[in-house]
């Protein structure tokens, strides 16, 4: 067996040795391939440095020089002027100036080398740049003579010039040995440079265009292979998983619609059509329903479940919380009051005897419709004839977890419904192997939920006054706290409950709901609120998903800065679900600009789709889905927040390759091998090549 030279441990590369290898290990650089594929942080472009005697007014120039002098003073018009004087050559100087940014001076140290980029002007016989872009050069860059200098992340004890030398050596020796898995015709079509050239371009760039082309190729490959894996997984699912054809006849359709208290929106109609086409296709449905909070996903799920039951199969609805399971159960039970559909609620708080009876019905197939929590997927739950599983308000399972979920051969149709819209690029990765239905529209008569940050004591008082008036007019309010208990009074639901009952909401009927109450008490608190017996409900985020009380129009969130944007949007979605205008107050004591800006995004965006994109830009992919994005998806160089455009290109290309069958031709064999090596195990792709 021949060794793959790219897997050579880095310490065996000439000039590295065990000591440096240890330092590189800290950067997770262990093999030659690790080095080749580690993108520089950025590249310093010294090819563009203009000598001072060639500066001109008008275009943007870059100059390089040593910091000689720094000063700050107040001008007559009360502005501060800060200036840094650079020595760029013998008796050649350029001054950078900033207005009202005195802190700029602290970015510099005397005698260090920097680059200024900007437009220059002659002022009193000297070149001046106003608000130039600054790059500080470290000692190694400062002495470099021109060229494009890649800059790498370092660790203590490893200097930039050493790192550059190691990378250069590795690239010169090994880049030419890297085989290109992409067929040439495909490369031409997608306008991609060769792989070994790309690696050289990234680490030893000749010019900015060269660097950009190399970087694009590496990022594109990374995302292409990932999307190909998802494409294969989707295809395997379809081929492998024959599923019962569940046909919704006109008669069944009419019967279902008669049960519903309203007619469907266009978005719901379209989703129902797409789902019905899947159900009757003979292949297992594997679909994600994306919609804004309050768009009416539940009724779409109910429709699909009733089609399934009518066709003689069992349908199950799984929710993330008991509250939500109970609520869906009540909705279904109400709709089906006069029908013979055999149904049951399966949650964690059934008695052993109840559970035994329910499980027997599930197993025999006698129970046609089952609603439940995770309790539904426990080992002892075996459906006799499961045709459809709907997973509601899901945002915690990533691709990988679902892969395990879907282990066996005889799979039911699966419909996944999101809790709030997911940013497009995350959708194409975390849920990238699912078919997608999108409902952008809300049911008729919904207003924008009036949303405002509440920052001061005075506005707090006004907000409470407003809430009291609305409660007197018959509406209801949620007061959400980030914690159950704790030292900070307004973060704690228990303390808030105590205080409101005697202060802000004295004389009103106030309820309490949190996750550590026993299930029966939770259900009672929710029932009391739903029935209007309590007017205000102090709670934790247990009301976060799905809870539906149309008369509740007020949402007050304490310490709002502690929540993520999508979570706040989801919470806000609890109100404004009926005929009355909804209001959301975001109480916060924070002075942090970042946090205030995030909360402002909620004032600005009404649509969950817009909120999701804003959230993604601010927080990055990591937290949004409650999964550790990068731990879970082994991407080599791509960054989902940064590389969204490339992702879209790679997605389209990958799915075309898979769906057209081109990917199965022999010229793509090396690429397929690569895809299976990287993702085969993770996505359970064995046998799907
Ligand atoms: P979500 O998509 O957030 O799960 P729900 O399914 O809970 O939304 O629906 C939100 C509210 O809108 C519910 O009170 C539901 O009865 C109502 N609703 C759903 N679809 C329609 C419709 N087509 N017309 C009128 N009201 C609707
Ligand atoms: Mg819902």
């Amino acid at each position: 067996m021949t060794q793959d030279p790219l897997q050579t441990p880095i310490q065996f590369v000439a000039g590295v040795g065990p000591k440096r290898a240890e330092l590189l290990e800290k950067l997770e650089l262990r093999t030659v391939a690790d080095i080749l594929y580690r993108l520089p942080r950025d590249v310093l472009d010294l090819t563009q440095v203009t000598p001072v005697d060639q500066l001109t007014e008008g275009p943007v120039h870059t100059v390089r020089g040593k910091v000689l002098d720094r000063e700050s003073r107040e001008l007559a018009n009360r502005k501060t002027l800060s200036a840094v004087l650079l020595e760029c050559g013998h008796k050649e100087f350029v001054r950078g100036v900033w207005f009202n940014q005195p802190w700029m001076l602290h970015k510099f140290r005397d005698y260090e080398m920097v680059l200024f980029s900007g437009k220059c002007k002659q002022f009193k016989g000297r070149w001046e740049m106003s608000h130039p872009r600054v790059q500080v050069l470290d000692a190694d860059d400062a002495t470099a003579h021109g060229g494009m200098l890649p800059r790498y992340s370092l660790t203590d004890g490893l200097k930039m010039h050493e790192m550059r030398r190691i990378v250069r050596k590795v690239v010169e020796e090994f880049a030419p040995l890297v085989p290109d898995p992409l067929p040439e015709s495909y490369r031409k079509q997608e306008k991609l440079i060769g792989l070994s050239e790309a690696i050289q371009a990234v680490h030893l760039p000749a010019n900015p265009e060269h660097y950009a082309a190399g970087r694009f190729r590496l990022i594109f490959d990374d995302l292409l292979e990932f999307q190909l894996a998802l494409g294969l997984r989707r295809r395997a699912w379809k081929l492998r998983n024959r599923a019962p054809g569940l046909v919704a006849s006109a008669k069944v359709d009419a019967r279902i619609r008669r049960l519903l208290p309203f007619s469907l929106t266009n978005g719901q109609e379209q989703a129902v059509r797409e789902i019905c086409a899947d159900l009757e296709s003979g292949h297992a449905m594997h679909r994600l329903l994306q919609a804004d909070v309050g768009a009416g996903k539940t009724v779409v799920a109910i429709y699909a479940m009733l089609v399934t039951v009518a066709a003689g199969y069992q349908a199950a609805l799984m929710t993330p919380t008991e509250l939500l399971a109970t609520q869906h159960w009540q909705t279904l039970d109400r709709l089906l009051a006069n029908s013979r559909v055999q149904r049951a609620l399966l949650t964690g708080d059934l008695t052993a005897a109840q559970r035994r009876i329910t499980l027997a019905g599930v197993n025999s197939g006698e129970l046609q419709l089952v609603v439940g929590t995770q309790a539904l997927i426990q080992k002892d739950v075996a459906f006799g004839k499961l045709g459809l599983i709907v997973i509601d308000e899901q945002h915690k399972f990533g691709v990988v977890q679902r892969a395990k979920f879907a282990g066996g051969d005889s799979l039911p149709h699966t419909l996944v419904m999101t809790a709030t819209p997911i940013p497009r690029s995350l959708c194409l990765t975390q849920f990238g192997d699912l078919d997608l239905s999108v409902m952008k529209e809300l049911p008729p008569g919904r207003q924008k939920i009036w949303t405002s940050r509440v920052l001061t004591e005075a506005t707090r008082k006004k907000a409470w006054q407003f809430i009291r008036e609305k409660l007197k007019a018959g509406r209801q309010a949620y007061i959400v706290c980030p914690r159950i208990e704790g030292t900070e009074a307004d973060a704690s639901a228990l303390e808030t409950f105590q205080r409101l009952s005697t202060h802000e909401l004295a004389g009103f009927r106030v309820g309490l709901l949190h996750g550590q109450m026993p299930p029966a008490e939770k259900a009672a608190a929710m029932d009391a609120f739903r029935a209007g017996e309590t007017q205000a409900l102090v709670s934790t985020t247990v009301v976060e998903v799905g809870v539906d009380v149309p008369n509740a129009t007020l949402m007050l969130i304490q310490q709002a800065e502690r929540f993520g944007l999508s979570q706040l949007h989801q919470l806000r979605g609890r109100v404004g679900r009926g005929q009355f205008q909804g209001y959301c107050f975001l109480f916060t004591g924070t002075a942090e600009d970042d946090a205030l800006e995030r909360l402002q995004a909620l004032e600005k965006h009404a649509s969950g789709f817009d909120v999701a994109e804003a959230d993604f830009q601010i927080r990055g992919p990591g937290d949004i889905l409650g999964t550790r994005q990068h731990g879970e998806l082994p991407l080599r160089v791509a960054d989902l927040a940064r590389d969204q455009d490339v992702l879209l290109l790679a997605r389209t290309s990958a799915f075309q390759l898979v769906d057209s069958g081109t990917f199965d031709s022999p010229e793509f064999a090396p690429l397929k091998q690569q895809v299976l090596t990287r993702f085969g195990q993770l996505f359970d792709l064995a046998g799907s090549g």
Side-chain angles (χ1 to χ4, degrees):
M1 207 178 117
T2 50
Q3 287 280 331
D4 178 357
L6 303 183
Q7 295 309 319
T8 309
I10 194 65
Q11 79 171 91
F12 301 132
V13 172
V16 178
K19 245 184 82 199
R20 289 231 174 78
E22 237 171 74
L23 294 172
L24 292 168
E25 165 85 33
K26 286 190 192 159
L27 297 165
E28 291 179 37
L29 297 169
R30 296 180 190 95
T31 64
V32 159
D34 291 342
I35 296 261
L36 294 179
Y37 284 102
R38 176 63 54 89
L39 290 183
R41 277 191 281 124
D42 61 358
V43 170
L44 207 56
D45 184 2
L46 299 181
T47 61
Q48 305 300 319
V49 170
T50 309
V52 172
D53 60 5
Q54 289 170 31
L55 289 176
T56 50
E57 289 198 10
V60 171
H61 286 292
T62 299
V63 298
R64 175 165 67 166
K66 189 195 292 177
V67 175
L68 265 200
D69 192 23
R70 300 177 286 161
E71 57 157 351
S72 210
R73 64 192 158 88
E74 195 137 323
L75 300 177
N77 56 8
R78 314 215 64 207
K79 287 186 173 177
T80 35
L81 174 78
S82 309
V84 170
L85 186 67
L86 293 192
E87 183 183 37
C88 301
H90 183 60
K91 291 201 172 158
E92 291 180 322
F93 303 96
V94 174
R95 229 162 77 106
V97 297
W98 291 267
F99 293 98
N100 288 338
Q101 297 185 5
W103 62 86
M104 275 310 292
L105 290 190
H106 305 300
K107 293 200 161 181
F108 298 92
R109 266 176 280 159
D110 288 338
Y111 307 116
E112 84 186 339
M113 296 293 288
V114 300
L115 295 183
F116 280 178
S117 302
K119 294 183 178 178
C120 7
K121 256 191 351 220
Q122 283 273 357
F123 185 73
K124 294 190 179 163
R126 175 173 294 163
W127 286 104
E128 214 171 76
M129 277 189 192
S130 169
H131 294 239
R133 193 169 84 89
V134 178
Q135 281 177 290
V136 176
L137 306 184
D138 52 42
D140 295 324
D141 300 331
T143 51
H145 294 284
M148 300 271 300
L149 296 178
R151 301 210 284 186
Y152 299 93
S153 300
L154 299 173
T155 184
D156 269 354
L158 187 67
K159 296 223 162 58
M160 188 66 81
H161 73 268
E162 296 174 301
M163 183 69 177
R164 280 194 192 128
R165 194 173 46 72
I166 293 167
V167 175
R168 169 176 285 272
K169 193 143 186 53
V170 170
V171 170
E172 283 173 351
E173 186 175 343
F174 292 94
L177 306 181
V178 176
D180 196 327
L182 300 187
E184 195 174 333
S185 56
Y186 177 74
R187 246 166 42 215
K188 279 225 174 81
Q189 175 196 315
E190 300 289 334
K191 302 196 173 56
L192 299 165
I193 66 173
L195 184 53
S196 72
E197 188 193 345
I199 290 172
Q200 297 182 48
V202 163
H203 297 292
L204 312 171
N207 54 51
E209 294 72 37
H210 191 220
Y211 173 73
R215 198 161 175 282
F216 181 86
R217 166 73 205 257
L218 295 185
I219 293 172
F220 184 84
D221 273 24
D222 197 15
L223 294 169
L224 179 74
E225 287 168 17
F226 174 40
Q227 291 295 324
L228 283 168
L230 291 175
L232 287 179
R233 204 166 107 84
R234 176 167 166 272
R235 188 172 71 177
W237 174 286
K238 295 221 141 121
L239 290 180
R240 189 166 13 145
N241 301 300
R242 308 243 150 237
L246 310 175
V247 181
S249 65
K251 198 166 136 204
V252 167
D253 175 74
R255 270 209 332 249
I256 296 174
R257 284 172 196 268
R258 261 204 306 280
L259 292 175
L260 305 178
F262 39 67
S263 51
L264 300 182
T265 65
N266 292 330
Q268 287 168 330
E269 289 287 1
Q270 161 126 11
V272 161
R273 269 198 305 279
E274 288 165 356
I275 289 166
C276 285
D278 287 355
L279 291 178
E280 58 182 66
S281 70
H283 300 295
M285 170 168 70
H286 196 201
R287 182 170 289 278
L288 177 70
L289 177 57
Q290 271 245 66
D292 205 346
V293 180
K297 294 182 291 288
T298 314
V299 66
V300 173
I302 290 175
Y303 188 107
M305 291 192 290
L306 293 177
V307 168
T308 307
V309 169
Y313 285 84
Q314 292 173 293
L317 172 60
M318 188 168 95
T319 66
T321 65
E322 309 228 337
L323 272 185
L324 201 49
T326 310
Q327 176 180 289
H328 283 332
W329 169 250
Q330 288 167 348
T331 305
L332 266 169
D333 211 34
R334 216 168 36 235
L335 290 180
L336 298 177
N338 299 316
S339 94
R340 282 166 315 178
V341 174
Q342 295 296 309
R343 52 197 184 267
L345 175 64
L346 181 61
T347 55
D349 68 327
L350 294 186
T351 64
Q354 286 169 323
R355 185 172 169 84
R356 214 168 33 244
I357 296 171
T358 308
L359 290 189
V362 164
N363 192 242
S364 69
E366 184 191 334
L367 279 174
Q368 296 164 287
L369 222 159
V370 184
V371 178
T373 54
Q374 257 84 337
L376 279 183
I377 48 169
Q378 258 136 44
K379 272 207 206 77
D380 58 343
V381 184
F383 281 87
K385 214 182 168 190
L386 186 60
L388 167 71
I389 176 147
V390 181
I391 305 171
D392 189 26
E393 308 286 6
Q394 161 159 318
H395 51 195
K396 300 237 157 73
F397 301 159
V399 173
V400 177
Q401 270 161 299
R402 275 183 295 109
K404 292 186 183 128
F405 213 128
D409 245 23
S410 63
L411 285 160
H413 295 283
T414 303
L415 177 65
V416 181
M417 309 202 289
T418 56
T420 57
I422 301 168
R424 186 161 168 78
S425 60
L426 276 193
C427 193
L428 294 184
T429 51
Q430 288 287 26
F431 296 97
D433 56 335
L434 276 69
D435 291 310
L436 192 62
S437 290
V438 181
M439 303 196 311
K440 288 225 158 166
E441 177 186 10
L442 297 178
R446 289 290 163 75
Q447 330 82 339
K448 178 176 172 179
I449 293 161
W450 182 91
T451 303
S452 178
R453 299 177 298 176
V454 175
L455 308 175
T456 65
E457 199 46 48
T459 40
R460 262 168 215 262
K461 286 211 169 101
K462 276 197 203 153
W464 282 116
Q465 181 59 33
F466 182 86
I467 288 170
R468 283 192 294 268
E469 278 164 23
K470 289 288 174 191
L471 295 185
K472 279 185 202 144
R475 306 287 75 77
Q476 290 169 280
Y478 296 99
I479 319 293
V480 174
C481 303
R483 299 166 169 279
I484 297 175
E485 50 197 340
T487 46
E488 289 170 280
D490 61 343
S492 145
L494 291 174
E495 301 253 346
T496 301
F497 173 67
Q498 297 294 345
R499 201 195 60 236
L500 294 188
S501 309
T502 50
H503 290 80
E504 284 87 345
L505 296 181
F508 293 91
R509 299 182 303 279
V510 183
L512 174 66
L513 175 68
H514 62 72
Q516 270 167 25
M517 288 164 39
E521 273 182 45
K522 270 193 265 184
M526 202 59 228
D527 285 344
F529 188 65
R530 194 171 285 122
E533 286 157 24
T534 45
Q535 296 166 284
L537 184 63
V538 176
S539 90
T540 53
T541 53
V542 285
V543 296
E544 179 187 342
V545 292
V547 170
D548 185 28
V549 180
N551 190 49
T553 59
L554 302 152
M555 167 64 58
L556 188 160
I557 301 168
Q558 305 255 50
Q559 299 205 351
E561 75 279 4
R562 298 235 193 145
F563 299 96
L565 273 192
S566 293
Q567 203 178 9
L568 290 169
H569 180 70
Q570 175 63 241
L571 282 167
R572 156 171 87 170
R574 298 308 104 223
V575 300
R577 298 173 80 87
Q579 68 200 96
F580 303 106
Q581 172 68 45
Y583 301 90
C584 175
F585 297 94
L586 305 168
F587 277 33
T588 178
T590 187
E592 283 179 32
D593 288 345
D594 259 24
L596 289 170
E597 189 191 335
R598 287 196 310 122
L599 297 180
Q600 203 166 28
L602 279 173
E603 291 180 347
K604 187 164 143 206
H605 300 296
S607 147
F609 288 90
D610 296 337
V611 170
E613 291 300 334
D615 199 16
F616 188 55
Q617 287 311 319
I618 294 167
R619 287 204 301 166
D623 305 328
I624 289 185
L625 295 164
T627 56
R628 293 247 131 244
Q629 183 75 28
H630 290 292
E632 194 169 320
L633 299 177
L635 292 177
R636 222 156 29 193
V637 290
D639 175 319
L640 294 178
R642 184 192 62 198
D643 302 321
Q644 294 198 39
D645 299 349
V646 191
L647 174 66
L648 283 180
L649 292 173
R651 164 75 168 195
T652 312
S653 192
F655 275 59
Q656 249 162 29
L657 287 178
V658 171
D659 291 345
S660 67
T662 312
F663 191 50
D664 301 315
S665 66
E667 54 170 0
F668 277 99
L671 182 60
K672 191 180 273 180
Q673 191 48 53
Q674 175 105 330
V675 170
L676 293 178
T677 308
R678 279 182 74 190
F679 299 101
Q681 208 178 7
L682 187 67
F683 291 163
D684 193 19
L685 293 176
S688 50

